Amino acid sequence: MKNLLYIGNKLSSHGYTSTSIETLGSFLEEEGYTVFYASSKKNKVMRMLEMIYKTFKYCKKVDYVLIDTYSTKNFWYAFVISQLCRLLNVKYIPKLHGGDLPNRIVRSKFFSDMIFSNAYINIAPSNYLFETFKNNSYKNLKYIPNTIELQLYKESIKEFKTPKLLWVRSFSKIYNPVMAVKVLVKLKQTFPDAELCMVGPKKDESFSKTMKFAKKNNVEVKVTGKLSKQEWILLSQNYNIFLNTTHFDNTPISVIEAMALGLPVVSTNVGGIPYLLKQDHTALLVDDNDVEDMVKQIERIITETNLAQSLSQNGKLLVNDFDWGLVKKQWTELLV
């Protein structure tokens, strides 16, 4: 088996949500690959320095360097490490993340070209990013979807008498958590017993803003903080609708997991979401930050006969394609 260096934000030990470096990295290790990692340093400067150090340390020992590539400040990790890989003559593979990456490759075209045009191959986990990169003349592309272990997600019996909403993301302004509370406030006008549970770590000031809005509007929101996968899967049994309120997105694992659990999904239709989900078939979609329409779509699930069942069944069929048992074949064929 091959040796790999995986570059990314390995920060779950600091209370952050696990990202691809931890999930895909673990999957690859289970398949027999030796995987070295950088970095779990919380401080961004120290993280960058460790990434550089380990690239030098392992460049002669590894066959490929995987680089989780994002659109925000972490974009520069990918730039520095990719150019270092070029200098050291080691093959590197950017794994593309983030719903705003299409804007980044326009804003930073020179640097983007240096990263992506010189890569061994670029891995797009969504048709959205695949098409965007293809349209921007990047030809060394391969689609390999994000993945889950499908057998972990057991469906529970749901009732749809009142909305019981589950939201699972980091409390970050790009995920627009306050929208979920705004939806709850309006839903309670029709369904006084409506509930909202929000699962995820605090990442920026959006947590305090969300809680202040809930208090100001006198609604109770259950907030759990970060939970393990097993914990939030168990918690999901108490809820019947999954909300995704994000401003930017690619192919969110949390939405794929929700469909695997049989939860009807109501989501904003930003970024890669329309490439993943189909209106009235696998989910109900609304425009970014459209609280009124999100409320209407949730009410449809409660009031329209068989809609919840249809969304649930179609969603479960869709996520079969994301099972690691299928996806791993694409990775093993790539990493020969």
Side-chain angles (χ1 to χ4, degrees), residues 149-160 233-234 236-240 257-264 308-317 319-320:
E149 290 182 287
L150 206 54
Q151 73 272 15
L152 297 179
Y153 300 86
K154 306 300 182 185
E155 184 182 4
S156 58
I157 297 173
K158 307 292 184 188
E159 290 186 345
F160 294 92
I233 287 174
L234 183 63
S236 72
Q237 296 178 8
N238 301 321
Y239 298 89
N240 57 16
E257 291 175 318
M259 289 189 290
L261 290 166
L263 285 165
Q309 182 181 9
S310 174
L311 294 172
S312 175
Q313 290 176 344
N314 293 331
K316 286 190 295 180
L317 287 174
V319 298
N320 286 334

Short mmCIF file of all heavy atoms in Angstrom, two decimals, residues 149-160 233-234 236-240 257-264 308-317 319-320:
data_model
loop_
_atom_site.label_atom_id
_atom_site.label_comp_id
_atom_site.label_asym_id
_atom_site.label_seq_id
_atom_site.Cartn_x
_atom_site.Cartn_y
_atom_site.Cartn_z
N GLU A 149 -20.22 5.99 6.28
CA GLU A 149 -20.43 4.55 6.47
C GLU A 149 -21.92 4.34 6.71
O GLU A 149 -22.44 4.56 7.80
CB GLU A 149 -19.61 4.04 7.66
CG GLU A 149 -18.13 4.02 7.40
CD GLU A 149 -17.36 3.47 8.58
OE1 GLU A 149 -17.26 4.18 9.60
OE2 GLU A 149 -16.85 2.33 8.50
N LEU A 150 -22.62 3.93 5.67
CA LEU A 150 -24.07 3.92 5.67
C LEU A 150 -24.67 3.07 6.78
O LEU A 150 -25.75 3.38 7.31
CB LEU A 150 -24.58 3.44 4.30
CG LEU A 150 -25.96 3.89 3.85
CD1 LEU A 150 -26.09 5.41 3.91
CD2 LEU A 150 -26.25 3.38 2.45
N GLN A 151 -23.97 2.00 7.17
CA GLN A 151 -24.54 1.10 8.17
C GLN A 151 -24.66 1.73 9.56
O GLN A 151 -25.37 1.22 10.44
CB GLN A 151 -23.72 -0.19 8.27
CG GLN A 151 -22.37 -0.07 8.95
CD GLN A 151 -21.27 0.31 7.98
OE1 GLN A 151 -21.53 0.74 6.86
NE2 GLN A 151 -20.03 0.12 8.39
N LEU A 152 -24.00 2.89 9.76
CA LEU A 152 -24.07 3.56 11.07
C LEU A 152 -25.37 4.31 11.28
O LEU A 152 -25.73 4.65 12.41
CB LEU A 152 -22.91 4.55 11.22
CG LEU A 152 -21.49 3.99 11.20
CD1 LEU A 152 -20.48 5.12 11.33
CD2 LEU A 152 -21.28 2.97 12.31
N TYR A 153 -26.10 4.55 10.19
CA TYR A 153 -27.25 5.46 10.25
C TYR A 153 -28.55 4.67 10.21
O TYR A 153 -29.01 4.24 9.16
CB TYR A 153 -27.18 6.46 9.09
CG TYR A 153 -25.92 7.29 9.14
CD1 TYR A 153 -24.74 6.81 8.55
CD2 TYR A 153 -25.88 8.50 9.80
CE1 TYR A 153 -23.57 7.54 8.62
CE2 TYR A 153 -24.71 9.24 9.88
CZ TYR A 153 -23.56 8.75 9.28
OH TYR A 153 -22.39 9.47 9.36
N LYS A 154 -29.12 4.49 11.39
CA LYS A 154 -30.34 3.71 11.52
C LYS A 154 -31.55 4.63 11.58
O LYS A 154 -31.62 5.55 12.39
CB LYS A 154 -30.29 2.84 12.78
CG LYS A 154 -29.06 1.95 12.87
CD LYS A 154 -28.96 0.97 11.71
CE LYS A 154 -27.75 0.05 11.85
NZ LYS A 154 -27.56 -0.82 10.68
N GLU A 155 -32.51 4.38 10.69
CA GLU A 155 -33.72 5.20 10.65
C GLU A 155 -34.62 4.89 11.83
O GLU A 155 -34.72 3.73 12.27
CB GLU A 155 -34.46 4.94 9.34
CG GLU A 155 -35.69 5.81 9.16
CD GLU A 155 -36.42 5.49 7.87
OE1 GLU A 155 -36.01 4.53 7.18
OE2 GLU A 155 -37.41 6.17 7.57
N SER A 156 -35.27 5.91 12.37
CA SER A 156 -36.25 5.72 13.44
C SER A 156 -37.63 6.18 12.95
O SER A 156 -37.73 6.98 12.01
CB SER A 156 -35.85 6.53 14.68
OG SER A 156 -35.74 7.90 14.38
N ILE A 157 -38.67 5.68 13.57
CA ILE A 157 -40.04 6.03 13.18
C ILE A 157 -40.33 7.47 13.57
O ILE A 157 -40.03 7.90 14.70
CB ILE A 157 -41.04 5.07 13.86
CG1 ILE A 157 -40.80 3.63 13.38
CG2 ILE A 157 -42.48 5.50 13.57
CD1 ILE A 157 -41.62 2.60 14.11
N LYS A 158 -40.90 8.23 12.64
CA LYS A 158 -41.19 9.64 12.87
C LYS A 158 -42.69 9.91 12.82
O LYS A 158 -43.42 9.27 12.06
CB LYS A 158 -40.51 10.52 11.81
CG LYS A 158 -39.02 10.29 11.65
CD LYS A 158 -38.23 10.73 12.85
CE LYS A 158 -36.73 10.58 12.62
NZ LYS A 158 -35.95 10.83 13.83
N GLU A 159 -43.11 10.87 13.63
CA GLU A 159 -44.45 11.43 13.52
C GLU A 159 -44.33 12.87 13.04
O GLU A 159 -43.35 13.54 13.36
CB GLU A 159 -45.19 11.38 14.87
CG GLU A 159 -45.56 9.98 15.32
CD GLU A 159 -46.41 10.00 16.57
OE1 GLU A 159 -46.47 11.07 17.23
OE2 GLU A 159 -47.01 8.97 16.89
N PHE A 160 -45.31 13.31 12.29
CA PHE A 160 -45.24 14.65 11.70
C PHE A 160 -46.47 15.48 12.09
O PHE A 160 -47.13 16.08 11.24
CB PHE A 160 -45.08 14.55 10.19
CG PHE A 160 -43.76 13.94 9.78
CD1 PHE A 160 -43.65 12.58 9.57
CD2 PHE A 160 -42.64 14.73 9.65
CE1 PHE A 160 -42.44 12.01 9.22
CE2 PHE A 160 -41.42 14.17 9.30
CZ PHE A 160 -41.32 12.81 9.08
N ILE A 233 -26.51 11.08 16.17
CA ILE A 233 -27.38 10.10 15.50
C ILE A 233 -28.47 9.63 16.47
O ILE A 233 -29.64 9.53 16.11
CB ILE A 233 -26.56 8.91 14.97
CG1 ILE A 233 -25.74 9.35 13.75
CG2 ILE A 233 -27.47 7.74 14.62
CD1 ILE A 233 -24.79 8.29 13.23
N LEU A 234 -28.08 9.36 17.71
CA LEU A 234 -29.05 8.96 18.73
C LEU A 234 -30.03 10.11 19.00
O LEU A 234 -31.25 9.88 19.10
CB LEU A 234 -28.32 8.57 20.01
CG LEU A 234 -29.19 8.06 21.16
CD1 LEU A 234 -29.92 6.77 20.77
CD2 LEU A 234 -28.34 7.83 22.41
N SER A 236 -31.00 12.38 17.01
CA SER A 236 -31.86 12.62 15.84
C SER A 236 -33.18 11.87 15.92
O SER A 236 -34.15 12.24 15.25
CB SER A 236 -31.13 12.24 14.56
OG SER A 236 -31.02 10.83 14.42
N GLN A 237 -33.24 10.83 16.73
CA GLN A 237 -34.48 10.06 16.87
C GLN A 237 -35.62 10.91 17.42
O GLN A 237 -36.79 10.60 17.22
CB GLN A 237 -34.24 8.85 17.79
CG GLN A 237 -33.26 7.84 17.23
CD GLN A 237 -33.01 6.69 18.19
OE1 GLN A 237 -33.69 6.55 19.21
NE2 GLN A 237 -32.04 5.85 17.87
N ASN A 238 -35.27 12.02 18.10
CA ASN A 238 -36.28 12.88 18.73
C ASN A 238 -36.77 13.99 17.81
O ASN A 238 -37.61 14.80 18.23
CB ASN A 238 -35.71 13.50 20.01
CG ASN A 238 -35.27 12.47 21.01
OD1 ASN A 238 -35.92 11.44 21.19
ND2 ASN A 238 -34.14 12.71 21.66
N TYR A 239 -36.28 14.03 16.57
CA TYR A 239 -36.60 15.14 15.67
C TYR A 239 -37.08 14.60 14.33
O TYR A 239 -36.82 13.46 13.98
CB TYR A 239 -35.39 16.07 15.52
CG TYR A 239 -35.03 16.67 16.86
CD1 TYR A 239 -34.15 16.03 17.72
CD2 TYR A 239 -35.66 17.83 17.31
CE1 TYR A 239 -33.87 16.53 18.98
CE2 TYR A 239 -35.39 18.34 18.57
CZ TYR A 239 -34.51 17.69 19.40
OH TYR A 239 -34.26 18.19 20.66
N ASN A 240 -37.81 15.44 13.58
CA ASN A 240 -38.44 14.93 12.36
C ASN A 240 -38.13 15.72 11.09
O ASN A 240 -38.54 15.32 10.00
CB ASN A 240 -39.96 14.80 12.54
CG ASN A 240 -40.64 16.11 12.92
OD1 ASN A 240 -40.07 17.19 12.80
ND2 ASN A 240 -41.88 16.01 13.41
N GLU A 257 -25.84 12.83 5.89
CA GLU A 257 -26.13 12.02 7.07
C GLU A 257 -27.60 12.09 7.45
O GLU A 257 -28.21 11.08 7.83
CB GLU A 257 -25.25 12.48 8.24
CG GLU A 257 -23.77 12.17 8.05
CD GLU A 257 -22.91 12.74 9.15
OE1 GLU A 257 -23.14 13.89 9.55
OE2 GLU A 257 -21.99 12.05 9.61
N ALA A 258 -28.19 13.29 7.37
CA ALA A 258 -29.60 13.45 7.71
C ALA A 258 -30.48 12.60 6.79
O ALA A 258 -31.42 11.94 7.25
CB ALA A 258 -29.99 14.92 7.60
N MET A 259 -30.17 12.58 5.50
CA MET A 259 -30.95 11.76 4.57
C MET A 259 -30.75 10.28 4.86
O MET A 259 -31.70 9.49 4.74
CB MET A 259 -30.56 12.10 3.13
CG MET A 259 -31.05 13.46 2.68
SD MET A 259 -30.82 13.77 0.90
CE MET A 259 -29.03 13.91 0.80
N ALA A 260 -29.54 9.90 5.25
CA ALA A 260 -29.29 8.50 5.61
C ALA A 260 -30.13 8.09 6.81
O ALA A 260 -30.53 6.92 6.93
CB ALA A 260 -27.80 8.30 5.92
N LEU A 261 -30.44 9.04 7.69
CA LEU A 261 -31.27 8.78 8.86
C LEU A 261 -32.77 8.85 8.55
O LEU A 261 -33.59 8.63 9.43
CB LEU A 261 -30.93 9.78 9.97
CG LEU A 261 -29.56 9.61 10.62
CD1 LEU A 261 -29.21 10.85 11.44
CD2 LEU A 261 -29.53 8.36 11.50
N GLY A 262 -33.10 9.18 7.31
CA GLY A 262 -34.50 9.26 6.92
C GLY A 262 -35.17 10.57 7.24
O GLY A 262 -36.40 10.67 7.15
N LEU A 263 -34.40 11.59 7.60
CA LEU A 263 -34.98 12.89 7.93
C LEU A 263 -35.27 13.70 6.67
O LEU A 263 -34.38 13.88 5.83
CB LEU A 263 -34.02 13.69 8.82
CG LEU A 263 -33.91 13.27 10.28
CD1 LEU A 263 -32.68 13.90 10.91
CD2 LEU A 263 -35.16 13.67 11.05
N PRO A 264 -36.48 14.21 6.49
CA PRO A 264 -36.73 15.16 5.41
C PRO A 264 -35.86 16.39 5.59
O PRO A 264 -35.70 16.89 6.71
CB PRO A 264 -38.21 15.50 5.57
CG PRO A 264 -38.78 14.41 6.40
CD PRO A 264 -37.69 13.94 7.29
N ALA A 308 -43.56 13.88 3.55
CA ALA A 308 -42.43 13.52 4.40
C ALA A 308 -41.89 12.13 4.04
O ALA A 308 -40.67 11.93 3.94
CB ALA A 308 -42.85 13.55 5.87
N GLN A 309 -42.79 11.19 3.83
CA GLN A 309 -42.39 9.82 3.49
C GLN A 309 -41.66 9.80 2.15
O GLN A 309 -40.65 9.11 1.99
CB GLN A 309 -43.60 8.90 3.45
CG GLN A 309 -43.25 7.45 3.15
CD GLN A 309 -44.48 6.56 3.10
OE1 GLN A 309 -45.61 7.04 3.11
NE2 GLN A 309 -44.28 5.26 3.02
N SER A 310 -42.16 10.55 1.18
CA SER A 310 -41.54 10.59 -0.14
C SER A 310 -40.13 11.18 -0.08
O SER A 310 -39.19 10.62 -0.67
CB SER A 310 -42.41 11.42 -1.10
OG SER A 310 -41.77 11.60 -2.34
N LEU A 311 -39.98 12.30 0.62
CA LEU A 311 -38.66 12.92 0.77
C LEU A 311 -37.69 11.98 1.47
O LEU A 311 -36.53 11.86 1.08
CB LEU A 311 -38.77 14.23 1.55
CG LEU A 311 -39.54 15.38 0.88
CD1 LEU A 311 -39.73 16.52 1.85
CD2 LEU A 311 -38.83 15.86 -0.38
N SER A 312 -38.18 11.31 2.49
CA SER A 312 -37.34 10.39 3.25
C SER A 312 -36.86 9.23 2.38
O SER A 312 -35.67 8.90 2.35
CB SER A 312 -38.11 9.86 4.46
OG SER A 312 -37.36 8.88 5.15
N GLN A 313 -37.77 8.61 1.66
CA GLN A 313 -37.42 7.47 0.82
C GLN A 313 -36.45 7.85 -0.29
O GLN A 313 -35.46 7.15 -0.55
CB GLN A 313 -38.68 6.84 0.24
CG GLN A 313 -39.56 6.13 1.26
CD GLN A 313 -40.86 5.61 0.67
OE1 GLN A 313 -41.27 6.02 -0.41
NE2 GLN A 313 -41.52 4.70 1.38
N ASN A 314 -36.72 8.97 -0.95
CA ASN A 314 -35.86 9.40 -2.05
C ASN A 314 -34.48 9.83 -1.54
O ASN A 314 -33.46 9.61 -2.21
CB ASN A 314 -36.51 10.55 -2.82
CG ASN A 314 -37.76 10.11 -3.56
OD1 ASN A 314 -37.88 8.97 -3.97
ND2 ASN A 314 -38.70 11.03 -3.73
N GLY A 315 -34.47 10.45 -0.37
CA GLY A 315 -33.19 10.84 0.22
C GLY A 315 -32.32 9.64 0.55
O GLY A 315 -31.11 9.63 0.30
N LYS A 316 -32.94 8.60 1.09
CA LYS A 316 -32.17 7.39 1.43
C LYS A 316 -31.62 6.71 0.18
O LYS A 316 -30.51 6.16 0.19
CB LYS A 316 -33.05 6.42 2.23
CG LYS A 316 -33.27 6.88 3.67
CD LYS A 316 -33.93 5.81 4.52
CE LYS A 316 -35.34 5.52 4.04
NZ LYS A 316 -35.98 4.47 4.87
N LEU A 317 -32.39 6.72 -0.89
CA LEU A 317 -31.89 6.15 -2.15
C LEU A 317 -30.70 6.94 -2.67
O LEU A 317 -29.72 6.36 -3.17
CB LEU A 317 -33.01 6.15 -3.20
CG LEU A 317 -34.11 5.11 -3.00
CD1 LEU A 317 -35.23 5.34 -4.02
CD2 LEU A 317 -33.57 3.69 -3.14
N VAL A 319 -28.43 8.68 -0.98
CA VAL A 319 -27.18 8.58 -0.21
C VAL A 319 -26.51 7.22 -0.36
O VAL A 319 -25.36 7.06 0.08
CB VAL A 319 -27.41 8.90 1.28
CG1 VAL A 319 -27.89 10.32 1.47
CG2 VAL A 319 -28.37 7.92 1.94
N ASN A 320 -27.17 6.27 -0.98
CA ASN A 320 -26.48 4.99 -1.24
C ASN A 320 -25.19 5.20 -2.02
O ASN A 320 -24.21 4.47 -1.84
CB ASN A 320 -27.41 4.04 -2.02
CG ASN A 320 -28.51 3.46 -1.15
OD1 ASN A 320 -28.36 3.33 0.06
ND2 ASN A 320 -29.61 3.09 -1.77
#
